[in-house]
Amino acid sequence: SHASSFGTGGSVWVTCATLAGTGTVSAASGNYYTVDTNKGTALSGGSSGGRIALHYGSAAGATLTLDAHGSVAHGGSERISSPAYPGTIYCSDDTLLSTERVFGEWHSPTAAANGVTLAGGTWTNPHLGFRDTAVTVEGDLALEGEAAGAPGLFLSNVAFTVTGSLTLDAARLMTRGGKVTVAGDFTQMTADQQKPRLGGEFMIYAMPTNDPTALSGAEVEIGGHWRIKSGTTCQPKCHPS
């Protein structure tokens, strides 16, 4: 049998002079579970997140969670579909950008013009994306999740740089085009040896190029060691061009 996918997230559009307060703005697509957990049952893919647009003059007094994550289908403890791409979150500036409170693909005039710089450390269950910009993470970065099918970092045509080492622990790094640069070591692992299939995943999708003999559709540069441990995967996928 085959499970159908959940609906895509909706949309939220806010225009105001001043944004303040706390709470959650959500356009997420919910995760869902199949009734039949037989391993022969085919899982459909998840559904993408929705759209959030916040146009404001100032958001200095706001501490908001912005949630436009995509859904994941579950069919048992170790049966998890590929995650849907997160929805988009547009803000007038980067005041609300947080690796702990933003779940979606981030867009802002500041990010588009100047790129984004984020502090390293451990990001737990991230569901964050960027497109057509440069993202620099200062120091070591560890992406940690409960399962490789759900949390992760999603990049599309992004120059992504980690100035230290990068660790994927039961989390996913997906890049479409662009370049991933890790100054130190790059380690893919799973801390939960009871579920070895839920290890860190690195997915590389090459973008089309005008001259495939001279131009790369995607690039990866690692200054230290690349450790791909048991239960983890690396999936490079080329474009026909």
Side-chain angles (χ1 to χ4, degrees):
S1 60
H2 194 286
S4 61
S5 60
F6 224 55
T8 302
S11 61
V12 178
W13 183 7
V14 175
T15 300
C16 61
T18 302
L19 193 62
T22 61
T24 299
V25 179
S26 179
S29 175
N31 294 344
Y32 65 98
Y33 296 77
T34 60
V35 175
D36 184 1
T37 59
N38 186 303
K39 292 190 176 182
T41 302
L43 286 176
S44 64
S47 298
S48 63
R51 306 289 183 262
I52 296 174
L54 305 179
H55 300 263
Y56 49 79
S58 172
T63 305
L64 298 176
T65 295
L66 307 179
D67 190 356
H69 76 267
S71 67
V72 178
H74 296 254
S77 61
E78 294 187 19
R79 299 189 65 238
I80 300 174
S81 74
S82 297
Y85 208 79
T88 59
I89 298 173
Y90 175 90
C91 288
S92 296
D93 55 32
D94 289 344
T95 302
L96 300 176
L97 177 56
S98 166
T99 59
E100 298 178 347
R101 296 188 301 275
V102 171
F103 304 92
E105 184 181 275
W106 181 263
H107 294 265
S108 75
T110 306
N114 304 320
V116 174
T117 299
L118 300 169
T122 299
W123 300 359
T124 303
N125 291 328
H127 205 98
L128 183 61
F130 297 94
R131 181 184 296 268
D132 298 330
T133 188
V135 177
T136 300
V137 178
E138 296 182 333
D140 296 339
L141 174 63
L143 303 181
E144 294 186 358
E146 297 175 352
L153 188 59
F154 301 83
L155 310 172
S156 183
N157 193 31
V158 171
F160 179 69
T161 301
V162 179
T163 63
S165 294
L166 173 62
T167 300
L168 304 181
D169 182 357
R172 171 174 290 185
L173 174 60
M174 178 187 292
T175 179
R176 299 177 185 273
K179 182 176 181 178
V180 173
T181 303
V182 180
D185 296 335
F186 181 16
T187 303
Q188 297 174 231
M189 60 175 288
T190 173
D192 187 354
Q193 295 301 322
Q194 300 302 313
K195 296 180 179 180
R197 294 174 59 194
L198 305 182
E201 292 184 320
F202 183 33
M203 304 184 70
I204 314 163
Y205 294 87
M207 298 290 280
T209 64
N210 292 329
D211 184 358
T213 62
L215 301 174
S216 299
E219 294 183 63
V220 179
E221 181 177 330
I222 301 170
H225 297 286
W226 188 356
R227 300 183 176 95
I228 307 175
K229 297 190 176 182
S230 176
T232 68
T233 59
C234 175
Q235 301 180 36
K237 298 186 178 182
C238 295
H239 191 274
S241 68

